[in-house]
Amino acid sequence: EGRRVFANTLKYVYVTTSANFGNMLSMAAAAALLPFLPLLPTQILLLNFLSDVPGTTIATDRVDPEQLGAPHRWHIHRARNFMLVFGVVSTLFDLLTFGVLRIGFGATATAFRSGWFIESTITELAVMLVLRTRRAFLRSRPSTALAVSSALVFAITLALPYSPLAGPLGLDGPPMRVLAALGAITVGYVLVTEAVKKAFPRL
């Protein structure tokens, strides 16, 4: 039981630090490249709240049997390497999203914020499911609480820009072609993250 608790603690630390580091780099790049704020303060707070909901269920998550076979220790350099590598991967796909929204679709400030809000929240959900295991993510079943909360936040994220709350939140429902592009970017992000995870099994 102690090994399970320790493994789930490391999941939360690794995923959260890499996501926050990537978001920090992305916000800095967006602030330098865009003539408007990439996200409004309320949108940042909402994004953080939504992505933290599944994070609260990590404590209930299943742990792969191979992680329970022997005791593990905390290694700060592994946490640092994990944060740097996967944070940079996250930032690269954020920059791709910026280019698609701004150059590909000529997005206005509101349209850009709406697209990046959706992409940021969904990729944070996806990367949590990918990085929670050393296996291929489809071969490791998450806990019911993690799966349900992730699906719920996914649905809320897609619905918000089309709901009556969109106006007060500064969001606007993207057209289907934009959603399709964001979906393709998310799939690419998951595949690259999975490949990087396999390339660094001891990270």
Side-chain angles (χ1 to χ4, degrees):
E1 183 64 16
R3 294 174 188 177
R4 188 186 70 81
V5 171
F6 185 72
N8 282 336
T9 301
L10 288 184
K11 290 179 190 179
Y12 181 82
V13 172
Y14 281 20
V15 171
T16 302
T17 54
S18 61
N20 288 345
F21 181 69
N23 287 342
M24 179 189 70
L25 292 179
S26 299
M27 287 295 291
L33 297 173
L34 298 173
F36 50 79
L37 288 174
L39 286 175
L40 299 176
T42 53
Q43 294 166 348
I44 295 173
L45 291 172
L46 180 60
L47 190 159
N48 287 337
F49 173 75
L50 289 174
S51 60
D52 281 347
V53 170
T56 63
T57 67
I58 283 288
T60 71
D61 196 25
R62 294 182 176 89
V63 177
D64 299 330
E66 57 268 26
Q67 291 185 265
L68 300 176
H72 295 277
R73 293 183 178 182
W74 166 256
H75 297 283
I76 189 65
H77 67 278
R78 289 185 184 175
R80 177 203 61 204
N81 292 346
F82 198 97
M83 177 189 75
L84 293 174
V85 170
F86 291 101
V88 169
V89 171
S90 172
T91 298
L92 291 176
F93 275 88
D94 279 340
L95 292 175
L96 174 61
T97 303
F98 297 166
V100 169
L101 291 174
R102 190 72 175 150
I103 300 172
F105 294 106
T108 62
T110 299
F112 180 92
R113 291 167 186 151
S114 301
W116 194 29
F117 173 83
I118 292 172
E119 189 266 351
S120 292
T121 309
I122 291 177
T123 52
E124 284 203 32
L125 297 176
V127 80
M128 182 176 294
L129 296 175
V130 172
L131 296 181
R132 56 168 288 277
T133 176
R134 294 178 183 176
R135 297 179 175 182
F137 76 99
L138 291 177
R139 295 183 57 244
S140 178
R141 191 159 58 98
S143 68
T144 301
L146 178 57
V148 170
S149 61
S150 297
L152 182 61
V153 170
F154 176 83
I156 291 172
T157 300
L158 288 182
L160 272 176
Y162 303 94
S163 74
L165 295 174
L169 292 172
L171 299 172
D172 189 21
M176 286 304 301
R177 59 197 181 99
V178 174
L179 288 180
L182 295 176
I185 291 172
T186 301
V187 171
Y189 178 51
V190 168
L191 294 176
V192 169
T193 301
E194 184 68 31
V196 172
K197 184 180 73 175
K198 291 179 181 178
F200 294 95
R202 294 290 181 183
L203 195 65

